[in-house]
């Protein structure tokens, strides 16, 4: 939530900051702003409500130049989206400005105290207290002032400060919100995430909680809570140059859907360099700590949203292959329960961003209680990946569309490999069975390509049904989570109400919803519950429901029953979730497209939910 960006350079930083904000806009798009030390040495502030384009227009009409500056794109928490609430926020004197991502929980107490001390507040935000606190604490050293302000702050923050009294300096700090330093050839950057830095540099350093970073004189210096110097390794990010570009695609979401076969192929190749995938040990390329799985008795998968759906699929795989009990929990629920966790258990946070506040808090709580940890993350170096003992990176490249697509299928791939690895280590399946399962994975990209080749048919179905007010998605067994995922995709980008349900539960309530106005999307691919799902289709039809079926190509039985078919390639039941989700991603995309929705930036949402 919220994107922050900063730059110090010998050249004009404003174009870079605006470019960085464009990349971060998916994190929030209620308002945006830039503050920089301008050519006259004064602090210049430009803010606009609404999408970033409004800010770009304003800055085109009234250009500002400077060598040090900060920018922000906002997802409102405290205070409505308005120009006055947009960041950056200034202190009372107007010499310094801050951008903030997170929530300051004690803002009301601080606001009262600071107001009594003579500070004049202009916004309704929690963030403005930071500007006043830093200003009040300043005695000549901006980093010291920021550290003093941090002592008073409760909550989460990534914060960057610019001050016209220090025209070549940026200081920043974090607590529970992401912050990355980018090291360019002639300039230094600060950003909420890596994709915003890629066009400027691939060399980054991650800031840890309670640290302050000072960018000055071509150097980034990091200090711990007591002011002690911290050494931090520079990491090189090898995501491709155009990985965060839309290229010829109309939307990031469509690009990311279409990328899936290529990414999964590359991902598998990574895990089996110079050999056939069938011969590879599932997790041989993932450097996991010794003993991580020794004596393991159970797994708990924790996640939010789409990542939680990936966990639900993985439960089927791990329990079936490794014969270990698996719990799958929503992070926001897990973190506030009286947990039964011990060191025989491994907790697996699943997260595209690796920064989701609830999942991070759940991971920390489980670790505190003694659980082992293995993160499944996409963003390299993310907080979750650093705070877990082991990491399975999903190698999806940057995912920019707010609706998660390729992150989901690559999470499924990683979790499938985890299931096979555990089965191999525990001897619950033979080496021959593991090799066959690996071979099936190697074939997966072909199935994904064949399914994506039917996109035009899916578009037609989508347009035919796009006037519906509600949708019901049904799936069973390993495809029940895919019904949940199909419904989530549709509601988040089209704003049409959709419910995902296990097909076997239909008669226990949701069947009352069915009439001739309700499209029922049924996942009806072959498997152990195929016949049962066909009965669910019959039951829906008998009540006038219009059935859209995800079915294997050439399945005449389903075709005869359904009003429309979304065809998929003939993959095994176990791997079918990875294929079956594709037509549902496309269905949601084309419906939203037909309705003219803002697909990559749906209303009220942000890509990374870094506040509770
Ligand atoms: O970065 P994470 O995977 O932790 O994010 C979890 C959810 O916020 C995310 O999957 C969300 O539900 C997506 N918008 C779904 O498309």
């Amino acid at each position: 939530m919220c994107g922050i960006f900063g730059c110090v350079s010998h050249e004009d930083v404003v174009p870079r900051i605006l470019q960085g904000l464009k990349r971060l806009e998916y994190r929030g798009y209620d308002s945006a702003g830039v503050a920089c030390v301008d050519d006259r040495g004064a602090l210049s502030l430009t803010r606009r409500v609404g999408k970033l384009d409004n800010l770009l227009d304003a800055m085109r009409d009234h250009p500002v130049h400077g060598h040090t500056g900060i920018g922000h794109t906002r997802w409102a928490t405290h205070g409505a989206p308005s120009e006055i609430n947009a960041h950056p926020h200034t202190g009372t004197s107007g010499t310094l400005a801050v951008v903030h991502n997170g929530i300051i929980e004690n803002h009301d107490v601080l606001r009262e105290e600071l107001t009594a001390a003579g500070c004049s507040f202009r916004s309704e935000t929690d963030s403005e207290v930071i500007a006043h606190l830093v200003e009040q604490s300043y005695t000549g050293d901006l980093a010291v002032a920021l550290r003093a302000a941090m002592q008073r702050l409760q909550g989460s923050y990534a914060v960057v400060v610019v001050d016209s009294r220090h025209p070549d300096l940026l200081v920043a700090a974090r607590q529970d919100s992401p912050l990355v330093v980018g090291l360019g050839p002639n300039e230094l950057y600060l950003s909420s995430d890596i994709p915003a830095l890629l066009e400027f540099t691939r060399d980054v350093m991650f800031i840890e909680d309670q640290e302050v970073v000072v960018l000055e004189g071509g150097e980034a210096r990091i200090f711990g809570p007591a002011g002690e110097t911290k050494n931090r390794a520079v990491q090189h990010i090898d995501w491709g140059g155009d990985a965060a570009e839309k290229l010829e695609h109309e939307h990031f979401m469509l690009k990311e859907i279409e990328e899936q076969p290529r990414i999964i192929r590359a991902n598998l190749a990574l895990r089996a360099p110079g050999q056939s995938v069938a011969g590879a040990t599932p997790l041989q390329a993932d450097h996991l700590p010794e003993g991580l799985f020794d004596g393991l008795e159970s797994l708990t998968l924790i996640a939010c949203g789409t990542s939680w759906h990936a966990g639900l699929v993985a439960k089927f795989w791990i329990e079936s292959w490794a014969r270990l009990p698996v719990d799958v929990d929503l992070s926001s629920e897990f973190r506030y329960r009286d947990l039964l966790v011990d060191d025989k258990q491994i907790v697996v946070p699943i997260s595209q961003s690796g920064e989701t506040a609830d999942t991070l808090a759940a991971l920390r709580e489980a670790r505190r209680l003694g659980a082992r940890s293995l993160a499944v993350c996409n963003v390299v170096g993310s907080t979750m990946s650093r705070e877990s003992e082991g990491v399975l990176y999903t190698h999806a490249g940057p995912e920019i569309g707010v609706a998660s697509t390729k992150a989901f299928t690559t999470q499924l791939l990683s979790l499938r490999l985890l299931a096979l690895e555990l089965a191999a280590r525990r001897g619950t399946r033979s080496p021959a069975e593991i090799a066959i399962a690996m071979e099936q994975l190697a074939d997966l990209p072909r199935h994904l390509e064949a399914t994506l080749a039917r996109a035009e048919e899916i578009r037609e179905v989508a347009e035919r049904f796009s006037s519906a007010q509600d949708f019901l998605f049904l799936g069973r067994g390993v495809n029940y989570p895919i019904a949940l995922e199909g419904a989530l995709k549709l509601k988040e980008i089209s704003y049409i109400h959709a419910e995902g349900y296990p097909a076997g539960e239909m008669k226990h309530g949701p069947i009352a919803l069915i009439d001739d106005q309700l499209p029922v999307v049924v996942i009806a691919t072959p498997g152990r519950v195929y016949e049962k799902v066909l009965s669910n289709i019959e039951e829906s039809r008998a009540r006038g429901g219009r059935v859209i079926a995800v079915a294997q190509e050439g399945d005449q039985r389903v075709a005869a029953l359904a009003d429309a078919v979304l065809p998929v390639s003939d993959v095994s039941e176990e791997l079918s979730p990875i294929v079956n989700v594709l037509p549902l991603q496309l269905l949601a995309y084309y419906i939203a497209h037909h309705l003219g929705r803002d697909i990559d930036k749906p209303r009220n949402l942000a890509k990374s939910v870094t506040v509770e």
Side-chain angles (χ1 to χ4, degrees):
M1 334 228 81
C2 300
I4 62 181
F5 199 85
C7 185
V8 193
S9 172
H10 296 304
E11 292 169 16
D12 185 9
V13 294
V14 175
R16 286 183 168 88
I17 293 171
L18 294 175
Q19 197 55 26
L21 291 183
K22 256 193 203 163
R23 300 267 180 251
L24 291 171
E25 200 185 8
Y26 72 108
R27 299 177 68 93
Y29 27 88
D30 296 332
S31 57
V34 166
C36 74
V37 184
D38 68 16
D39 294 339
R40 298 164 300 130
L43 191 77
S44 149
L45 183 65
T46 313
R47 301 181 293 183
R48 286 296 179 271
V49 70
K51 296 256 163 73
L52 183 64
D53 279 344
N54 298 347
L55 179 72
L56 299 180
D57 289 345
M59 297 199 76
R60 198 172 306 117
D61 294 346
H62 302 283
V64 177
H65 306 285
H67 298 289
T68 306
I70 56 179
H72 188 273
T73 174
R74 178 171 187 243
W75 187 88
T77 59
H78 295 60
S82 67
E83 194 164 314
I84 209 76
N85 288 333
H87 297 222
H89 291 289
T90 52
T92 306
S93 69
T95 54
L96 67 79
V98 305
V99 284
H100 166 229
N101 171 27
I103 291 182
I104 303 304
E105 288 165 1
N106 57 339
H107 69 97
D108 42 359
V109 179
L110 292 173
R111 178 182 282 250
E112 220 171 279
E113 192 183 297
L114 288 158
T115 306
C119 299
S120 33
F121 277 80
R122 300 176 190 93
S123 77
E124 305 155 288
T125 65
D126 56 329
S127 310
E128 192 182 339
V129 297
I130 306 174
H132 293 289
L133 272 179
V134 176
E135 190 171 75
Q136 293 273 305
S137 311
Y138 180 80
T139 54
D141 185 326
L142 201 57
V144 169
L146 177 57
R147 195 172 312 114
M150 289 162 69
Q151 309 297 319
R152 305 294 322 279
L153 298 175
Q154 286 165 18
S156 61
Y157 51 84
V159 60
V160 191
V161 191
V162 63
D163 189 322
S164 57
R165 292 164 294 190
H166 302 272
D168 304 308
L169 168 76
L170 283 181
V171 299
R174 71 159 268 178
Q175 176 66 45
D176 293 335
S177 283
L179 187 63
V180 189
V181 175
L183 305 159
N186 299 307
E187 61 283 315
L188 297 164
Y189 302 91
L190 283 158
S191 172
S192 296
D193 65 28
I194 295 170
L197 294 170
L198 286 179
E199 74 185 271
F200 306 116
T201 178
R202 300 292 166 78
D203 293 325
V204 303
M205 290 189 320
F206 296 100
I207 304 305
E208 307 279 354
D209 281 350
Q210 287 293 304
E211 288 180 345
V212 169
V213 57
V214 175
L215 305 190
E216 192 178 28
E219 230 191 326
R221 286 172 297 133
I222 302 174
F223 300 95
E228 72 279 19
T229 301
K230 295 271 189 159
N231 294 319
R232 188 64 33 83
V234 176
Q235 297 201 26
H236 187 76
I237 305 295
D238 58 6
W239 281 344
D242 56 12
E245 303 285 344
K246 217 172 354 172
L247 303 176
E248 75 281 7
H249 296 84
E250 195 178 346
H251 295 103
F252 276 109
M253 183 179 178
L254 187 59
K255 176 186 180 234
E256 289 159 3
I257 290 172
E258 291 178 356
E259 276 176 340
Q260 293 174 101
R262 178 182 61 73
I263 286 173
I264 290 204
R265 189 173 282 121
N267 197 323
L268 285 163
L270 258 182
R271 287 152 199 283
Q275 67 182 112
S276 84
V277 174
T281 309
L283 297 183
Q284 72 182 25
D286 301 273
H287 306 287
L288 298 179
E290 273 303 293
L292 186 66
F293 299 130
D294 292 355
L296 188 64
E297 289 180 359
S298 66
L299 292 93
T300 299
L301 314 183
I302 47 172
C304 302
T306 288
S307 300
W308 179 64
H309 299 156
L312 293 175
V313 174
K315 175 180 170 74
F316 284 83
W317 292 336
I318 299 169
E319 289 189 344
S320 162
W321 279 75
R323 307 305 293 153
L324 278 166
V326 177
D327 253 2
V328 188
D329 220 330
L330 288 162
S331 315
S332 51
E333 293 296 323
F334 179 89
R335 63 181 291 193
Y336 289 116
R337 267 212 318 274
D338 282 335
L339 297 174
L340 286 171
V341 170
D342 61 27
D343 63 354
K344 299 275 181 289
Q345 196 174 350
I346 192 162
V347 69
V348 181
I350 308 167
S351 175
Q352 187 286 127
S353 59
E355 304 291 350
T356 299
D358 282 323
T359 308
L360 196 53
L363 165 69
R364 287 175 178 161
E365 181 58 8
R367 290 206 67 188
R368 191 183 68 78
L369 294 170
R372 309 170 199 185
S373 53
L374 172 65
V376 175
C377 283
N378 187 37
V379 176
V380 176
S382 55
T383 310
M384 252 174 256
S385 70
R386 284 181 282 125
E387 293 198 12
S388 299
E389 289 155 88
V391 194
L392 299 181
Y393 280 120
T394 53
H395 303 291
E399 188 179 68
I400 308 292
V402 165
S404 194
T405 53
K406 63 177 181 172
F408 178 65
T409 45
T410 53
Q411 283 168 347
L412 288 178
L413 176 61
S414 291
L415 291 162
R416 176 73 180 168
L417 290 166
L418 175 63
L420 302 183
E421 176 81 23
L422 289 171
R425 289 184 186 225
R426 290 166 54 79
T428 45
R429 294 291 180 105
S430 69
E433 286 174 294
I434 307 281
I436 292 169
M438 290 297 284
E439 214 169 298
Q440 285 174 348
L441 281 178
D443 218 19
L444 194 55
R446 185 179 65 76
H447 291 292
L448 298 175
E449 277 157 358
T451 303
L452 289 178
R454 312 295 291 266
E456 258 321 294
E457 291 162 60
I458 298 167
R459 179 207 282 270
E460 279 166 27
V461 175
E463 291 180 0
R464 185 140 66 91
F465 286 88
S466 59
S467 60
Q469 301 294 302
D470 306 275
F471 277 73
L472 181 63
F473 285 71
L474 299 176
R476 201 153 176 187
V478 74
N479 278 299
Y480 151 54
I482 301 306
L484 298 184
E485 176 61 7
L488 177 61
K489 285 293 87 91
L490 184 64
K491 61 188 143 193
E492 72 180 324
I493 59 167
S494 74
Y495 319 145
I496 295 174
H497 168 248
E499 256 189 70
Y501 233 81
E505 278 287 297
M506 192 174 80
K507 289 196 265 306
H508 300 280
I511 198 163
L513 295 171
I514 298 180
D515 63 15
D516 60 2
Q517 299 302 305
L518 183 84
V520 185
V521 181
V522 185
I523 302 166
T525 48
R528 67 170 95 166
V529 288
Y530 176 72
E531 293 296 339
K532 315 249 177 241
V533 171
L534 291 196
S535 303
N536 293 136
I537 295 182
E538 294 277 18
E539 289 154 8
S540 304
R541 274 164 50 92
R543 283 151 187 89
R546 297 181 293 159
V547 173
I548 303 170
V550 175
Q552 273 191 3
E553 209 172 334
D555 185 331
Q556 297 305 328
R557 290 184 68 194
V558 176
L561 292 175
D563 293 80
V565 171
L566 307 178
V568 291
S569 180
D570 61 340
V571 73
S572 70
E573 180 187 11
E574 279 204 312
L575 292 188
S576 65
I578 308 181
V579 176
N580 290 346
V581 74
L582 262 56
L584 301 185
Q585 294 170 347
L586 286 170
L587 182 73
Y589 174 82
Y590 287 128
I591 290 178
H593 191 273
H594 193 68
L595 296 175
R597 304 296 192 226
D598 193 346
I599 292 178
D600 285 334
K601 300 186 203 89
R603 69 184 181 204
N604 304 338
L605 291 175
K607 181 72 183 161
S608 268
V609 184
T610 52
V611 294
E612 201 179 335

